[in-house]
Amino acid sequence: MVATTSPVPQKIDLEVKSNARWLVMPIFLTVVGIALWAWVSAQELDSIEQRTLNAGELTARVIEHLQLAAVSTLIVIALAVPLGILATRRAARFVAPVVLMLGNLGQAIPSLGLITLVVLAAGVGFKSVIFGLVAYSALPILRNTMIGLQQVDQTLVKSARGMGMSPMQTLLRIELPLAVPVVLAGIRTALILNIGTATLATFFGVQALGYVIFQGIQLDRTPVLIVGAVLASGLALLVDYLAGVVEHVLTPRGL
């Protein structure tokens, strides 16, 4: 008699492993945060370091950093996704080269130089940095929106049209849901770009986490520099992790 292995335990084991992987990054970041706090607590901080390395000041810097990244990413989504959709429509495909050229232009210019150009045109401040971040991070969302829609099986599109769906209904019910994973990957990339580039905002009058790093360098305060660098890196990893969770949840099952 041949013994058979039930697929149920194997399925449960795979689900447990899949769920466990989502715990790795939170545990890692928690350990790093505790280690950083313990190390700073053991240092004899002078008055300058104490003014920077306190809960209120660091929280304000983190919040401002997140505001820069979140606002710029939302604006990019509102601009790049519709442009990506427009560029894939048959009647407007002539705009695709122009749209991609503008997106590539934003990526081709170094981030510091691009933000500097925007600041020279619009002045120093939060809004100018936002404009610079939008221009710098538009390409991933724009390109992924176009690729995601172009990869949709045209047989499905023709079938939907044959069933009497309008072009808009086909877009909303067939094309966009199937393009969601690729579009979300582009949004995730743009968000991480903005998180990283936002550290440069300190050179343009915005005191995000880059301000903490710059203070550590300018004043030759190693604890301030290390805390700023670790917080900026940890924030990028945390946002990337949360974006990955959102991407996993919003991706339709079976894709």
Side-chain angles (χ1 to χ4, degrees):
M1 184 175 182
V2 180
T4 57
T5 303
S6 173
V8 176
Q10 295 179 357
K11 183 178 180 180
I12 294 175
D13 185 52
L14 290 174
E15 289 179 354
V16 170
K17 290 181 180 179
S18 178
N19 293 330
R21 70 188 176 92
W22 295 109
L23 299 176
V24 175
M25 185 57 69
I27 292 173
F28 170 75
L29 292 176
T30 300
V31 171
V32 170
I34 293 173
L36 180 64
W37 174 81
W39 179 78
V40 173
S41 299
Q43 305 298 310
E44 293 184 4
L45 304 178
D46 58 29
S47 58
I48 295 176
E49 293 168 337
Q50 289 175 3
R51 281 200 300 270
T52 305
L53 301 182
N54 61 79
E57 179 69 14
L58 291 177
T59 300
R61 301 289 75 79
V62 170
I63 291 174
E64 192 154 18
H65 202 101
L66 288 173
Q67 287 175 337
L68 283 172
V71 172
S72 57
T73 303
L74 288 174
I75 293 175
V76 171
I77 293 172
L79 294 175
V81 171
L83 283 175
I85 294 172
L86 177 64
T88 59
R89 300 305 92 186
R90 182 173 300 177
R93 284 182 181 174
F94 65 92
V95 305
V98 177
V99 169
L100 284 175
M101 182 192 68
L102 293 175
N104 284 319
L105 183 63
Q107 283 276 291
I109 302 174
S111 55
L112 183 59
L114 180 60
I115 298 176
T116 301
L117 291 175
V118 174
V119 168
L120 288 174
V124 175
F126 187 89
K127 292 181 179 179
S128 298
V129 175
I130 289 293
F131 291 149
L133 292 176
V134 168
Y136 185 66
S137 62
L139 182 60
I141 299 179
L142 176 63
R143 183 175 54 198
N144 278 39
T145 300
M146 294 176 64
I147 292 174
L149 291 171
Q150 289 168 350
Q151 288 180 348
V152 173
D153 189 348
Q154 290 303 303
T155 303
L156 296 175
V157 176
K158 292 178 181 177
S159 298
R161 296 300 302 276
M163 294 171 59
M165 287 188 183
S166 66
M168 182 59 68
Q169 289 175 324
T170 304
L171 173 66
L172 297 178
R173 297 184 183 182
I174 305 296
E175 295 180 83
L176 281 179
L178 292 174
V180 160
V182 182
V183 176
L184 289 177
I187 293 174
R188 182 178 179 181
T189 301
L191 180 58
I192 301 307
L193 279 175
N194 286 334
I195 285 285
T197 310
T199 56
L200 301 175
T202 183
F203 299 112
F204 307 102
V206 182
Q207 295 184 352
L209 284 175
Y211 175 78
V212 180
I213 297 173
F214 184 70
Q215 287 288 95
I217 296 173
Q218 187 180 41
L219 302 176
D220 194 23
R221 295 298 193 276
T222 300
V224 176
L225 174 60
I226 291 176
V227 169
V230 172
L231 284 180
S233 302
L235 185 62
L237 290 174
L238 177 61
V239 170
D240 181 56
Y241 165 78
L242 294 176
V245 173
V246 172
E247 183 179 344
H248 177 73
V249 171
L250 294 182
T251 299
R253 300 303 90 188
L255 293 182

